Every structure is written in C-alpha cells, then in structure tokens.
Amino acid sequence: MVRRLAKPLAVAVAAALLVSACAESANTADAATEEETSVTILQADIGMGLIKEAGANNTEFLGATQATLVRKPYVETTQDGVFEQDPFTYEGYLAESYEVSDDGLVYTFHLSDAVSAAGNELAADDVLWSFELKFGADTSTAPGAMSPVITDPATQFTKIDDKTVSITIASPGLGTTLLSMLADALAFVYDSTEMQANVSADDPYAIAWAQENPNYGFGPYEITDWEVGSYARFEARDNWILGTPEVDVVNVQVVPDAGSRASTIRAGDADIVEGLSPTDAADLATVDTLIVPTVSSPNTSQVLSLVTNKAPFDNLLVRQAISHAIPFEDIISNVYQDRAVRTGSGIVFTNTPGYDATGLPEYEYDPETARALLAEAGYPDGLSFTLTVSAADAESQATAVQIQTAARPAGFDVQIETVPGADFHTGRYAKIWQALLSVQAPWALTPIYTLNLLTGVDSQNNMSDWEDPEFYEALAASAEVIDQSSAEAGAAWNIAETRLLEEVPFIQIAQVQPGIAISDRIAGYAWRTDNTVDYAHLSINE
Amino acid sequence: MSTATTPPTAAPATRRRLPGSASMVPVVAPLVLLLLVAALGPLLVPYSPIDVVAAPDQPPSAQHWFGTDIYGLDVFSRVIAATRNDLVVGLVAALLATVIGVGVGLFTGTNESRGGVPGSVARGLTRGLDLFDALPQIVVGLVLLAFFGRNLLTLSVVCGLLMVPTQARVVRTEVLRVRREAYLESARLSGESERGLLLRHMLPNSTWPALENASYIFGVAVTVAAGLGFLGVGLPPPTPEWGAMIADGATAASAGRWWSSLFPCLALAVTVIAFSNLAHQYLRRR
C-alpha cells in the first residue's frame, strides 16, 4: 500500500512546492509592480467604516481618502524620519488661505482648485453640504463634538461665492478651536455633487452609499480594493491638490492580535504596525531596524472618571481621597513601560502657548492623606467601590489592577468589573457605573476644547455626570479672550482648570506615547492628534 | 399442610468493587495532590495572588518561579491559588449536574411511556433537554452569567446546569434498561409500591453510571469555566482562575512571552486529565 501511495504523494508534494514558489507573498495582498512603491501596514480590527458620519468608522482610512479645509503642519522631531503635528498652528489644505475679522468672530476661507476622486472641482457648496450632512445625519457625532464652536451650520456657514465660505462663531476665543476642528476628521469636506447624485429617500445623505463607494473625497488616495475585517488597498491619486504622494500603494492588513503584529514587524514582514501594547512597543524600541516614535506631548490619556451622580463619588472628599490613592508612577512604569508621561494633575496641555499652571492643585500618591480624607468624609474604616473597565481595553484593565493594589493601604477596597466593549460604551454614556477607566484622545488640543470635552452639559462624554456653574462661567470667560495664545488667555483657563481640579470629577493619570512601530525602510511618519498614519507623508528610504 | 411462599427479595444489585488499592495509586495520587494544593496552597504561596508584586512580563526567575503576568502578579502564586477556585467550580458543577440529572433522568425514564400528564411532561422534558444540549455551551453560559452575575457560585451553578442534560440522558438510558429487568416485575407482583420500586430498585441500579460520569463532568465544567474566563466573562479580575489567566497571557504569548499562559494551561490540563483518568480507570476495571 505504501508503494501505491508513493507516486501520487510525490506528485502532490511537487505540486505544492510549485504553487508556493509561484505564489505572491502573503504579506502583499495585491503586490505593487516593480515600478510602484508600496508600504504594508498592520492594523487591529478597528472596523472599516468608510464615512465618518456612519457611526463606527476607520479614521485612518478616511484621512487617506478625504481632506479638510486646513491642516496642522508637521514639524521634525529628534528622531530621524519622524515628524509630529504642531497642534497650535494651521496651514491651508483645501482652503488656499483664510482670514479672520477684527472682532475675531468671522473666519473666511478661500477654496483651492482641488479635484475629487470622482473628478469634480471643489466648490463652496461642497463645504456647506458637508456640514449639513454632519449635523443632519442621525448617526453623526459632530453636533456634540463640535459644540460650542459649531452648533448650527445653517446660520454659521455662509457662501460668499463659489470659492469662498465664511464661518461665524459666538466668541472670539473659540477661533483656535474652530481651526483645530476644521483640521480634523470631524470636518472632512465631501464631493457634494457625487454624493447628492446618490441620495435616496431612505438614504438622504448617501451615507449607506458611501459605505460601499468610498472614493467621494478630495484626499490623496483612493481605495481600490477592500474586504471588511481583512484588508484594504490604497492607490495614490495623481491629481491630489498637494501633489502626488510618494508612496504609490498602501496595503493595510487587519491582524487582530497585538502580539502577532509585533512579531510580524520584528520579522520584517510589515512596514508599520499600529495598536501595539506598551510592552511590545518598549520591546520593539530596542530593535535596530525599527523606530518606535516618542512625541513631545502625546494626547492619548488614561482617565479615571468618578461618577458624581451616586455614592460614593457624589462626595467631594471621597473624590479627593481617591486622587491621592492612584499610583501614578507605578502605572507609568508597570503598565506603560515608561512610555507615558505625567506633566502634573491638570488636563490643559502644558505646551499650549500662554499656558499658566499657577496655583493648580496637585495630586500625588499619598495613602495617608487619602485615608485622612476618607475619615473626614465619614468613612473611617475605608470604603468599597466598583471600578469598571472595558474587556477590550487591556491597558485600562492593567491600570485597574495597579489601582486596586495601591488603593488598599489608603482604605479603598476596589472591586474590578470588566464588561464587554459595547456594554462599556453604553454604560459610560449612560453614567451608570461608580467609577470607570477609559482612554481619551482629544483631537483638538486647545484649552477650551480639552476643558469642555469631558465636562459638557448633557454631553455623552461627561462620563462623571458633573456640571458645575462656576466652572462653566470660568470657561465662558476664557472664550471671550481674543488672543488665545496670550497670557491673558492662560490666566483665564487657569481659573477654570483650578475649579476642575478642586472638584476632581475625573483624574488624568498619564499621557501615553503612540503604540506604533515603523521599519527603518520608511520615512515620514508623522504623529497626529487623531493618532492615525498619514499615508501621503510617507516615503521610502533609499 | 401449608405452602410457604418465597418472600420477595430485593433486586440483585450489580456489585461495584473498588479496584485494588495499589493499582489505583497512580490514579488517585494526582487527585489527592490537587486537593491538597487547593486546600493549603493559598496559605503557602510566596506572594499575594491578587496584588502587584513586581514589574509585569518578567520571565521565570529565582524570585518568581513562573514569572509575572501582564499586570505584575506572580504567576506561580496565582496558578496555585486558582486551583481552589477551579476545583470548586468543577466539584459544585459535577454535584449539581448529577443530582438534578439523576432526578430528571429517573422521571423521564419511568414516565415517558405513560399516558396522561406525567407522560406528556416526561416526553416534553426529554425533547427540551435535547434542545438545550444542542446549543453551544459557551453561548448559553454567557447568557446565564449575564443574567445571574459573575462570582464563584454563579459560575459553578452555570457550569453545572450546562451539564444536566448529559447526566439526565445517562440515567434515562439506564432506567429504560432496568425497567425491563425481571426482578422489577417480581417486586411489583410481590406488592412493592411504585415509590418503593423507584427508590429501592431503580434508583440504585440506574444512577451508578451517572456517578461514574461525574468525574468526566468535572473535567468538562472546569474547561467550560476556563473558556468563559478566556472570553472575559468568568470571575472578576484579578481573581485567580486558569482560564482568565490563559486569556490574559495569550497576546503576550504570541509575542514570545509564553510563561503567563503556559503554566495555567498545564495546570488545567493536569486537572482535567486526572479527573478523567479516574473515571476511565474505574470503568475499565469494571
């Protein structure tokens, strides 16, 4: 029988060898031709929503195919080939230029001759219709996220002519936040001609259509092939307004497991990997052929929200007590492998022009002080509370374990509850937990935006359910300062931030470095506040 | 002249002899060791199993024999401490599944062929158990835990409930066989009540297979608990439990940091094999 099988077995083996020798590498799903340059990027399974207003979306994909009126320029860092956004200055993108009225309330944008992937030239109607979509679609998050800067595009946006649009804001101090928002994914400008040709009664803003037809924007790339949950292929557009990108083809592959992504780039089978664990990022930073970027002021933060609509954190003293029971340095060291920083207890970015930290309350790990505050609050024997984290968020779970251990000597018995990711999102917006850990990453880094992000009235993002008239009054006063980079503005934010830190509805534990590794074959990686990779800025090292 | 009638005798019970003690040592010894570890282990571990004691992801060393996990917890201490939790889950689940399964199996086996309400209920119950058994255990477990909450007791109960159909089917099969035995008819003709038939004859003769099967149920329950822990719906962190430990270390393992997954994996495998071996060896010796 063995002899009978030998010949067909040999033929099968030979055939298998022949097929595998002729097959393309599995790491280039759609290999570029010899003349084309290509980059392979590995992502976690973060979805492939192809329009921002559909709810779940892939911001990086949209950044490659869409464009904004302005953008934040890139500046070099101390790492070779690595750039980072300057989050406080703005340059033209789809708008060639803009000017601001003397009272700081009207921003006028002059549009370029950009052409969309569908072949239509940019016009003022595209801007107006795009914001009508953002504020009209049921699944859009723009209304909450853009408040109080943009609340009613119908009245705030004005078409001056086919190539000129003005935006009016309520307070001059909101201007820098307006520009920052207009530079981010919330403010993509769509080809309204293409989209309006595909609306229907059931789909009045062509959102469902856009999910299947992603090339309706003015961005540098088109998606030419994709399979949800598996891969996407991007090809550079020759008629992009800022010139043809250097990388012709970008292949994005979904690799759900972070450890597998780390192993793949270590083996040289990928050019960029995203969503690395802090341990993997720290480990890969020691590999000579890889670059793991470290930026000056990362915007991703681990935040502990204390829900103030129920015990025990409806008690200010308890909130102040837990603030002294967080092992900040241990978390930075053990959870983030020193790839995180803590620049004080405040949440306003300390590199903001005009920043003023005078008199801000500071919280450090001090279990004795925490215990004394608990006793003063009426808990001389300590208290127990539940700390909720998402089962999909490994870093928050690790942070919770660190807090549980360190808070015990301070009198806190922390019970950790993990919930599925979808339930966590629902619960945090409904404010049903006692305390929760989450990762926050504001795209706009202006003080008004960061101070308002987690404290807005009736805002889903106000996970602490904390609303304080004194704080809002101080915030509104800071928005009246015309020059938002002045010492006057800094002093105004300081008043609001002081109130926030005294009341401590949430604690910013640490700012976390990006979890990205790049092959030294690639240059031009630029850290962005939306934490995506800008394919158009990449190049290949010779 | 009188004719003496032969009084009814109890059904000849199938005698189960325990195998020779010497040959059972390799089977029983691991179980005894596991029970000792469960009972005394948490008192003897070098570190608290729920407190951060070192930097995370440290490989095995003299200070941390099994290394530290992604949280900085000592893996050796947690593997030992988890023995108690996982054994409780297995034993409670096996006990619950057996007690309920025996009751259900007896009822369905004795009443399926009858008419009226008891027969209808018995037949409906049999079909219901078949349907329940057809559902994926992990999915049913997820739903039940979401409903009842997650702690050691509910996890044990859920795992036990998932195994009830298995035990019930085993007992039902035996009941259907025993029902046709001649000694039962003899007992009935001798005036034995239905209750007496059930308790004195059918129960002892049809439940032994379920008792043998209980060790298999134990292994399956521990594995199901580990599976639920792997999916993140087991015991709340950082409660030591093998499945959750394996899940926590899975991503690290794919990046080369193998220790925080491997050791709880081995502990789980040894436990399941030990309990399954008990049943296998016992059946073989019968």
Side-chain angles (χ1 to χ4, degrees), chain A residues 47 111 265 370 437:
Chain A
L111 304 181
I265 196 168
L437 277 168

Side-chain angles (χ1 to χ4, degrees), chain A residues 257-260 262-263 277 279-280 283 333-335 337 391 394 397-398 401-402 404-405 408 416-420, chain B residues 48 50-52 54-57 70-73 150 231-233 235-238 248 250-252 254-257:
Chain A
D257 182 69
S260 299
S263 300
S277 71
T279 302
D280 286 332
D283 195 31
S333 171
N334 290 336
V335 177
Q337 306 294 306
Q397 290 177 55
V401 174
Q402 295 284 329
Q404 185 186 55
T405 298
R408 200 168 287 127
I416 301 173
E417 175 189 39
T418 55
V419 298
Chain B
S48 164
I50 61 169
D51 283 333
V52 175
D57 290 319
I70 61 171
Y71 304 121
L73 306 170
R150 294 187 286 146
L231 293 174
V233 292
L235 298 174
D248 289 339
T251 297
S254 61
R257 298 183 295 276

Side-chain angles (χ1 to χ4, degrees), chain A residues 107-467:
Chain A
Y107 285 69
T108 304
F109 298 89
H110 304 281
L111 304 181
S112 68
D113 295 329
V115 175
S116 76
N120 298 309
E121 188 173 312
L122 176 67
D125 287 336
D126 294 323
V127 179
L128 267 63
W129 192 83
S130 296
F131 277 83
E132 180 188 330
L133 182 159
K134 294 173 198 309
F135 279 74
D138 293 336
T139 48
S140 173
T141 58
M146 291 189 160
S147 174
V149 180
I150 301 174
T151 55
D152 183 14
T155 57
Q156 290 180 265
F157 283 58
T158 304
K159 174 182 174 180
I160 308 298
D161 57 45
D162 277 346
K163 286 293 192 180
T164 312
V165 175
S166 73
I167 303 174
T168 304
I169 52 180
S171 305
L174 298 178
T176 50
T177 304
L178 170 69
L179 290 171
S180 188
M181 285 180 176
L182 291 178
D184 289 326
L186 280 173
F188 289 134
V189 176
Y190 305 133
D191 180 345
S192 64
T193 305
E194 180 71 4
M195 293 191 80
Q196 286 181 311
N198 291 282
V199 301
S200 66
D202 294 330
D203 191 18
Y205 292 106
I207 290 176
W209 172 85
Q211 290 280 53
E212 301 297 324
N213 301 275
N215 300 309
Y216 54 91
F218 296 89
Y221 285 86
E222 291 178 281
I223 298 179
T224 55
D225 190 16
W226 78 98
E227 182 178 317
V228 174
S230 181
Y231 70 89
R233 175 185 166 93
F234 298 79
E235 292 184 6
R237 292 180 53 218
D238 294 332
N239 57 349
W240 182 44
I241 187 62
L242 297 182
T244 307
E246 285 199 38
V247 175
D248 301 311
V249 174
V250 176
N251 287 308
V252 179
Q253 297 190 0
V254 174
V255 178
D257 182 69
S260 299
R261 294 197 293 276
S263 300
T264 304
I265 196 168
R266 183 192 293 274
D269 290 333
D271 295 309
I272 298 176
V273 297
E274 303 176 54
L276 291 171
S277 71
T279 302
D280 286 332
D283 195 31
L284 292 176
T286 64
V287 178
D288 288 339
T289 56
L290 298 178
I291 300 167
V292 177
T294 300
V295 301
S296 58
S297 185
N299 68 324
T300 302
S301 300
Q302 180 69 256
V303 175
L304 171 64
S305 298
L306 310 171
V307 184
T308 64
N309 60 20
K310 63 176 73 66
F313 295 115
D314 56 349
N315 187 320
L316 172 61
L317 288 171
V318 176
R319 297 200 299 272
Q320 291 175 341
I322 192 66
S323 303
H324 288 289
I326 308 297
F328 299 105
E329 295 308 315
D330 284 348
I331 291 171
I332 289 172
S333 171
N334 290 336
V335 177
Y336 293 104
Q337 306 294 306
D338 293 321
R339 286 189 54 77
V341 295
R342 179 173 169 80
T343 55
S345 299
I347 66 168
V348 174
F349 288 86
T350 57
N351 59 343
T352 305
Y355 178 68
D356 181 358
T358 307
L360 289 178
E362 287 294 333
Y363 297 103
E364 293 179 347
Y365 180 62
D366 185 350
E368 290 305 314
T369 299
R371 195 174 269 281
L373 285 166
L374 266 187
E376 192 182 336
Y379 298 97
D381 299 324
L383 71 82
S384 176
F385 72 92
T386 300
L387 175 58
T388 306
V389 295
S390 167
D393 184 349
E395 277 78 64
S396 289
Q397 290 177 55
T399 301
V401 174
Q402 295 284 329
I403 293 174
Q404 185 186 55
T405 298
R408 200 168 287 127
F412 287 99
D413 174 27
V414 180
Q415 302 296 313
I416 301 173
E417 175 189 39
T418 55
V419 298
D423 292 346
F424 182 79
H425 279 295
T426 305
R428 76 176 188 176
Y429 293 144
K431 300 151 198 186
I432 62 174
W433 318 123
Q434 286 183 303
L436 60 146
L437 277 168
S438 62
V439 173
Q440 301 296 319
W443 291 347
L445 304 191
T446 60
I448 289 175
Y449 186 86
T450 54
L451 286 167
N452 185 65
L453 181 63
L454 301 182
T455 61
V457 177
D458 289 333
S459 168
Q460 278 190 335
N461 287 327
N462 189 343
M463 295 176 283
S464 303
D465 204 12
W466 177 77
E467 294 182 359

Side-chain angles (χ1 to χ4, degrees), chain B residues 37-38 42 49 76-88 235 239-243 245 264 267:
Chain B
V37 169
F76 175 77
S77 301
R78 287 174 60 74
V79 168
I80 297 299
T83 305
R84 180 183 292 181
N85 288 331
D86 283 284
L87 283 188
V88 165
L235 298 174
T239 309
E241 190 274 313
W242 291 327
M245 294 173 67

